[in-house]
């Protein structure tokens, strides 16, 4: 079945927790700058939504997730990986508020609707505390993150 | 000799609920619930434009952006004394209705069911449903991670009931997704509901949208009536002991939601009211003036309990060490009290305040009172109450009716009430010249999961845990069942991926 979008670029994270909002800030920057995109590519600010992202994810052949990633590098380090390369440990849930992106992918897998490829572009955070501003080390990586995203399209 | 158990669900995320219980002679003797994420939203909002608050507060929760947006908009409407159009009221009711269906289904099938349903029973499935066979092959391959509970669970259902529940789980996910499609029609840009502005909604209704909504609602009704409620009724008899476990404080509060044309809080589909001392037939009026938030055991400065409109958020953190203790501060949650009393909020509170005949009859038939089982049943029956009402609201919509009431920002004080699926929510705003001077939120899990108050009285969830039998302290599934029955919410910062293997992480680094 043909999907609605060839690529969904999905920024996730909480903008109320400074660097945790990196993914959303990248999407906002792409929208503000009107970065030219092919017509079959779409941007989405996914915020902290969990299962609510099932529909938009299922509608794309490929998903590029922009997220905050703790990989041990210095603040602002950028990572790129395919979610199939990643052995994410599944944590048991006690609240719906713990649903993360990978559980959404698992659920879509069970429904046979997981997109063919899900790539994560991630940035190492410096500060995850209440506040709307990105730390300077993370904010200055927005341009490079956009380059990495465009290379995925 | 007593023993302490801590259920500290997730350590890799920033915010979660930590539950500590003291067990003596196989029973919980005392309990402490501790919310570990500081909610400093109030600090972010100060001095911003009042009409932007709903955009920011929606972000405080990935599960309930809609009720937060609703409560925020309503606080401003209260401050400016705005009157909503009837169409705006109906559209908001429908948006929130779909949110209820979504949340209640997901909570039961994705979270609670694993406490009662043994997914591995699907290994014995012999039919030809492709999805069940898919899960069967996952089990055969030992790849049961999504379904494996963290503790050994005393599953009690017959094999066929387990299999039926798993089949419904897959179906529930699809109903959930369809309800999200409906929300996207009404809420605009998903997942954040962009249409619920102070003064009304910004949806342009069309005949197509209305007929689609009818279809979505009927689909949800069909699932709730023919699958969800029957399953809850089928599971309940095997776990009747949980009709006496997790009783709680016996006080219930609902601000209520889903107003009718009169906008009278007592005439909402889920009405406003309070119940005290387990006297569930006696519903009294509820008044925000009687709410005060205690901080004696919360990591905030000050000792005085304050009405939310005048609340303060000045953090003062001091670690409690290994165990939470009575005399100390041990939670980032404040302890809201009504008339000095802890109050349970959520579907059980709402359905009791409503005096819902379906719930009261079921409780009588099963011979259960407020409990784990009653909370689960109330949630399922409430989904039906809401879905049934939604069909009526759709027919009342006027295609060309106005949906927005214009206003000029000025000064004022307001309370905005909503019932999030998991309980009473209120936003409180003080506006000066269109700018926010103070903003406070009292969220459901502060009511349910808050710590002791200045008088040392336990919060509702803490109280519900006391007396819970714990068969094996290393496998405290009973504790989890009690906590999960409240459908707790804790702030969302769940997306951080932790690459635990540093070598692998280095290989992924590109800049």
């Amino acid at each position: 079945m043909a999907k609605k979008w060839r690529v969904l670029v999905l920024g996730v994270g909480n903008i109320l927790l400074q660097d945790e909002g990196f993914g959303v800030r990248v999407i906002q920057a792409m929208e503000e700058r009107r970065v030219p995109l092919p017509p079959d590519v779409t941007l989405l600010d996914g915020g902290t939504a969990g299962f609510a992202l099932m529909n938009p994810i299922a509608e794309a052949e490929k998903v590029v997730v922009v997220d905050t990633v703790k990989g041990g590098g210095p603040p602002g380090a950028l990572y790129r990986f395919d979610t199939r390369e990643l052995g994410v440990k599944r944590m048991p849930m006690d609240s719906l508020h713990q649903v993360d992106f990978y559980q959404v992918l698992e659920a879509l897998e069970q429904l046979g609707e997981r997109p063919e490829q899900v790539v994560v572009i991630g940035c190492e955070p410096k500060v995850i505390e209440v506040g709307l501003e990105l730390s300077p080390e993370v904010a200055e990586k927005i341009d490079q993150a956009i380059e990495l995203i465009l290379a995925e399209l | 000799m007593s023993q302490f158990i801590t259920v500290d669900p997730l350590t890799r995320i920033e915010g979660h609920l930590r539950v500590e219980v003291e067990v003596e002679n196989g029973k919980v003797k005392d309990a402490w619930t501790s919310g570990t994420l500081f909610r400093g939203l109030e600090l972010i909002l100060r001095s911003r434009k009042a009409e932007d608050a709903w955009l920011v507060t929606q972000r405080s929760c990935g599960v309930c952006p809609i009720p937060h947006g609703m409560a925020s908009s309503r606080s401003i409407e209260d401050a400016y004394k705005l009157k909503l159009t009837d169409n705006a009221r109906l559209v908001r009711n429908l948006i929130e209705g779909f949110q209820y269906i979504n949340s209640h289904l997901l909570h039961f099938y994705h979270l609670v069911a694993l406490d009662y349903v043994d997914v591995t029973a699907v290994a014995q499935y012999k039919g030809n449903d492709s999805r069940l066979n898919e899960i069967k092959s996952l089990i055969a391959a030992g790849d049961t991670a999504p379904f494996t509970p963290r503790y050994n669970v005393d599953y009690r259902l017959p094999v066929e009931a387990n299999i039926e529940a798993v089949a419904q789980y897959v179906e529930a996910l699809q109903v959930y997704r369809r309800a999200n499609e409906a929300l996207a029609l009404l809420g605009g840009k998903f997942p954040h509901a962009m249409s619920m502005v102070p003064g009304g909604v910004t949806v342009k209704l069309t005949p197509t949208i209305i007929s689609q909504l009818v279809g979505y609602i009927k689909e949800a009704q069909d699932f709730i009536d023919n699958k969800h409620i029957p399953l809850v009724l089928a599971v309940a008899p095997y776990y009747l002991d949980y009709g006496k476990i997790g009783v709680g404080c016996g006080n219930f509060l609902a601000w209520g939601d889903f107003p009718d044309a009169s906008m009278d809080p007592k005439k909402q589909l889920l009405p406003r009211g309070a119940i005290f001392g387990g006297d569930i037939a006696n519903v009294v009026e509820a008044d925000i003036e009687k709410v005060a938030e205690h901080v004696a055991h919360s990591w905030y400065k000050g000792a005085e309990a304050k009405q939310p409109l005048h609340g303060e958020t000045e953090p003062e953190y001091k670690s409690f060490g290994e165990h939470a203790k009575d005399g100390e501060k041990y939670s980032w949650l404040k302890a809201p009290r009504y008339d000095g009393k802890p109050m349970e909020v959520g579907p059980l509170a709402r359905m009791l305040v409503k005096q819902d005949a379906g719930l009261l009859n079921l409780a009588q038939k099963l011979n259960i009172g407020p409990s784990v089982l009653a909370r689960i049943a109330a949630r399922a029956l409430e989904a039906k109450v809401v879905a049934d009402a939604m069909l009526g609201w759709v027919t009342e919509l006027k295609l060309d009716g106005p949906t927005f009431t214009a206003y000029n920002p000025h000064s004022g004080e307001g309370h905005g009430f909503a019932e999030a699926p998991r309980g009473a929510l209120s936003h409180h705003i003080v506006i000066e010249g269109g700018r926010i001077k103070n903003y406070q939120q009292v969220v459901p899990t502060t009511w349910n999961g808050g710590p002791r108050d200045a008088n040392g009285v336990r919060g509702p969830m803490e109280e519900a845990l006391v007396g819970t039998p714990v068969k094996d302290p290393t496998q405290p599934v009973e504790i989890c069942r009690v906590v999960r029955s409240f459908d707790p919410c804790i702030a969302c910062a769940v997306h951080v991926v932790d690459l635990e293997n540093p070598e692998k992480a280095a290989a992924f680094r590109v800049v």
Side-chain angles (χ1 to χ4, degrees):
Chain A
M1 191 181 72
K3 301 231 181 167
K4 193 170 167 188
W5 304 105
R6 188 170 55 82
V7 184
L8 164 70
V9 184
L10 175 66
V12 293
N14 195 338
I15 57 164
L16 305 180
L17 294 169
Q18 292 189 271
D19 291 345
E20 227 273 311
F22 177 75
V24 172
R25 297 302 186 192
V26 168
I27 299 295
Q28 288 173 344
M30 291 178 80
E31 283 173 348
E32 277 161 24
R33 298 177 196 177
R34 299 177 190 277
V35 174
L37 296 171
D40 51 2
V41 173
T42 188
L43 303 177
L44 183 67
D45 158 10
T48 52
F51 277 104
L53 296 173
M54 274 178 90
N55 285 340
I57 292 170
E59 285 167 358
E61 286 166 26
K62 171 176 176 173
V63 181
V64 179
V65 182
V66 195
D67 198 356
T68 310
V69 168
K70 282 185 180 166
L78 290 175
Y79 307 91
R80 185 257 178 223
F81 53 88
D82 189 307
T83 47
R84 300 257 188 222
E85 303 172 69
L86 193 68
V88 178
K89 237 184 357 188
R90 176 62 154 67
M91 308 296 277
M93 286 194 297
D94 293 284
S95 157
L96 281 181
H97 296 66
Q98 292 162 7
V99 170
D100 71 17
F101 187 75
Y102 300 92
Q103 287 161 257
V104 178
L105 288 184
E106 269 170 7
L108 284 171
E109 181 110 57
Q110 289 157 20
L111 298 173
E113 292 186 54
R114 183 186 160 120
E116 271 169 49
Q117 197 186 11
V118 181
V119 168
V120 176
I121 306 286
C123 184
E124 184 84 29
K126 183 184 180 195
V127 195
I128 299 187
E129 279 171 28
V130 176
L132 289 169
E133 305 296 320
L134 294 180
S135 61
E137 291 90 334
V138 169
E140 70 177 28
K141 292 301 169 76
I142 288 181
D143 289 356
Q144 278 173 301
I146 294 174
E147 293 301 316
L148 291 172
I149 291 164
L150 294 177
E152 296 291 336
L153 304 183
Chain B
M1 177 63 194
S2 67
Q3 182 177 0
F4 287 87
I5 310 174
T6 306
V7 182
D8 209 351
L10 276 180
T11 50
R12 82 191 179 107
I13 64 165
E14 265 52 47
H16 57 248
L17 191 71
R18 177 186 191 274
V19 178
E20 182 170 346
V21 297
E22 182 184 1
V23 177
E24 199 175 74
N25 303 324
K27 268 191 175 166
V28 173
K29 187 181 160 203
D30 208 343
W32 297 264
T33 56
S34 166
T36 59
L37 183 71
F38 165 56
R39 267 181 189 271
L41 209 60
E42 294 85 357
L43 304 179
I44 291 182
L45 284 168
R46 212 168 282 163
S47 309
R48 285 178 186 274
K49 283 189 205 159
E51 62 266 32
D52 291 345
W54 69 283
L55 283 169
V56 176
T57 56
Q58 278 198 37
R59 299 272 179 174
S60 59
C61 181
V63 178
C64 295
I66 289 168
H68 277 292
M70 188 92 83
S72 185
S73 288
R74 284 174 175 165
S75 73
I76 292 169
E77 288 152 10
D78 184 42
Y80 294 163
K81 305 294 167 234
L82 298 180
K83 195 177 178 314
L84 281 196
T85 69
D86 214 38
N87 250 10
R89 169 184 71 85
L90 292 165
V91 170
R92 283 187 181 181
N93 281 357
L94 287 165
I95 291 176
E96 185 127 312
F98 282 115
Q99 158 96 16
Y100 266 58
I101 291 169
N102 266 356
S103 185
H104 285 359
L105 287 187
L106 207 56
H107 181 259
F108 181 75
Y109 284 97
H110 206 81
L111 208 55
V112 163
L114 284 182
D115 286 341
Y116 306 91
V117 173
D118 182 6
V119 177
T120 60
V122 175
Q124 297 169 60
Y125 178 65
K126 293 187 181 67
N128 43 26
D129 182 286
S130 61
R131 292 201 170 111
L132 281 175
N133 280 316
E134 176 76 20
I135 292 168
K136 185 177 172 178
S137 63
L138 284 178
I139 294 167
D143 185 12
T144 53
F147 306 119
T148 315
R150 66 195 305 204
Y151 300 122
N152 298 330
V153 181
D154 57 329
Y155 289 128
R156 307 174 192 173
L157 298 183
V159 173
E160 312 76 53
N162 282 316
I163 293 173
E164 169 64 17
V166 176
Q168 285 191 23
Y169 156 79
V170 175
E171 215 179 316
L173 274 182
Q174 299 292 27
V175 176
Y176 169 84
R177 292 175 64 186
R178 299 276 291 160
N180 270 344
E181 290 172 26
L183 273 173
L185 285 180
L186 289 171
K189 199 176 166 186
F190 212 63
H192 302 283
M194 304 302 282
S195 64
M196 235 164 0
V197 296
V201 294
T202 56
V203 183
K204 178 85 189 99
L205 295 167
T206 65
T208 317
I209 288 184
I210 290 180
S211 69
Q212 282 178 301
L213 290 176
V214 171
Y216 286 125
I217 295 167
K218 286 189 170 163
E219 204 177 323
Q221 278 182 307
D222 181 48
F223 185 82
I224 293 164
D225 291 352
N226 299 314
K227 299 287 169 72
H228 183 28
I229 292 175
L231 182 62
V232 171
L233 297 181
V235 170
Y238 294 93
Y239 293 94
L240 274 181
D241 45 338
Y242 282 89
K244 311 274 181 208
I245 292 173
V247 172
C249 61
N251 307 322
F252 300 91
L253 173 69
W255 296 128
D257 213 326
F258 304 108
D260 73 358
S262 74
M263 297 301 274
D264 178 345
K266 289 190 299 253
K267 291 183 183 161
Q268 300 175 109
L269 175 72
L270 302 172
R272 182 169 300 177
I275 290 169
F276 294 95
D279 186 5
I280 56 172
N282 191 11
V283 181
V284 299
E285 285 195 24
D287 179 2
I288 187 67
E289 297 301 328
K290 295 190 175 174
V291 174
E293 290 194 287
H294 292 234
V295 290
H297 292 86
S298 314
W299 285 308
Y300 299 97
K301 285 189 184 143
E304 195 191 339
K306 293 194 169 180
Q307 206 256 21
L309 204 53
H310 309 294
E312 288 163 11
T313 308
E314 299 282 339
E316 184 183 61
Y317 176 74
K318 184 175 169 280
S319 167
F320 53 69
E322 199 183 344
H323 297 298
K325 291 172 212 67
D326 283 355
E328 294 181 8
K329 290 180 187 278
Y330 61 88
S331 180
W332 282 113
L333 302 181
K334 295 179 182 178
R337 293 293 182 264
Y338 184 96
D339 229 354
K341 296 182 178 68
M343 308 296 284
E344 175 173 342
V345 300
L348 178 59
R350 290 191 292 256
M351 294 290 271
L352 289 176
V353 167
K354 185 181 174 58
Q355 294 284 294
D356 181 79
L359 179 66
L360 296 175
N361 291 341
L362 179 66
Q364 197 176 22
K365 197 177 127 202
L366 297 176
N367 187 25
I368 65 171
S371 59
V372 169
L373 214 49
R375 284 183 200 103
I376 293 170
R379 200 168 282 116
L381 295 172
E382 185 183 61
K384 176 175 171 54
V385 166
V386 171
D388 290 354
M390 287 169 75
L391 213 47
W393 296 327
V394 174
T395 60
E396 288 178 56
L397 287 172
K398 304 257 182 327
L399 267 179
D400 44 5
T403 56
F404 182 70
T405 309
Y407 62 94
N408 289 315
H410 51 280
S411 301
E413 293 186 352
H415 304 290
F417 299 99
E419 285 286 337
R422 42 209 45 73
L425 169 68
S426 56
H427 285 206
H428 310 272
I429 194 168
V430 181
I431 311 171
E432 259 180 24
R435 300 262 167 188
I436 297 169
K437 193 179 169 215
N438 195 7
Y439 201 101
Q440 298 283 325
Q441 297 172 303
V442 186
V443 304
T445 298
T446 347
W447 282 107
N448 286 336
R452 285 150 169 74
D453 58 30
N455 303 318
V457 177
R458 293 183 197 100
M461 206 186 283
E462 293 178 332
E463 189 60 38
L465 284 163
V466 173
T468 300
V470 177
K471 213 164 147 194
D472 176 357
T474 67
Q475 306 291 327
V477 61
E478 301 92 343
I479 304 293
C480 293
R481 282 175 176 150
V482 173
V483 171
R484 270 195 276 264
S485 72
F486 283 93
D487 192 2
C489 60
I490 282 296
C492 294
V494 297
H495 291 281
V496 181
V497 181
D498 208 342
L499 300 169
E500 281 156 16
N501 178 341
E503 280 162 36
K504 210 169 174 185
F508 291 145
R509 190 163 164 203
V510 288
V511 176

